[in-house]
Amino acid sequence: MKKIWIFIATSGALAVSMGAMSAHMLKDVLVPLDIARIQTAATYQMYHTLIIAVLAVYQQHNPLKAINQSQWLFGLGIVFFSGSLYLYTFSKIHSLVFITPIGGLLFILGWLSLVRLTIKSSK
């Protein structure tokens, strides 16, 4: 449980830092498309960091395998989606854009895993 909270805290801090940097420090360095890309990555990262935190609290009261699965899917989604957008923005390595949709798919699978959790827990 400690590791998940370290991930949550680190991910939240990174999302806020990247969002703030894109709005202030980098606004005169990067083109608007790059700023928007960072802001998109930071927004998706924060949304999914928050759901991982909610699930971590829920898991303390109701430990289920599906919760852990959703957390992993969301965490990997953050790494692939937001991570690839951050790296692409700063490195311009074009092949990184092919990783971003994998992260989006992992986010979708995480949400669908929650649907499965809901259906199972309502039986």
Side-chain angles (χ1 to χ4, degrees):
M1 186 57 70
K2 185 177 179 180
K3 289 179 184 178
I4 193 71
W5 284 107
I6 291 170
F7 178 84
I8 292 164
T10 304
S11 182
L14 180 62
V16 171
S17 298
M18 294 303 287
M21 283 176 38
S22 70
H24 302 290
M25 288 176 51
L26 300 173
K27 70 179 181 177
D28 296 327
V29 177
L30 299 176
V31 297
L33 182 60
D34 287 338
I35 300 268
R37 188 179 300 112
I38 290 174
Q39 290 174 346
T40 298
T43 300
Y44 274 71
Q45 182 174 359
M46 184 55 77
Y47 289 153
H48 291 90
T49 297
L50 290 173
I51 192 62
I52 292 170
V54 168
L55 290 172
V57 171
Y58 184 69
Q59 190 172 36
Q60 290 175 336
H61 303 288
N62 195 1
L64 297 169
K65 185 178 179 183
I67 295 171
N68 194 36
Q69 179 184 36
S70 292
Q71 288 175 316
W72 270 99
L73 289 166
F74 289 139
L76 289 171
I78 289 169
V79 171
F80 282 82
F81 183 86
S82 298
S84 67
L85 289 176
Y86 295 143
L87 289 172
Y88 173 70
T89 300
F90 295 114
S91 72
K92 297 299 185 213
I93 298 171
H94 185 70
S95 59
L96 290 168
V97 301
F98 299 110
I99 296 172
T100 308
I102 296 169
L105 180 61
L106 289 166
F107 286 150
I108 293 166
L109 291 173
W111 289 107
L112 291 175
S113 178
L114 290 181
V115 170
R116 186 177 64 115
L117 169 66
T118 304
I119 292 169
K120 278 187 169 184
S121 66
S122 64
K123 288 183 180 180

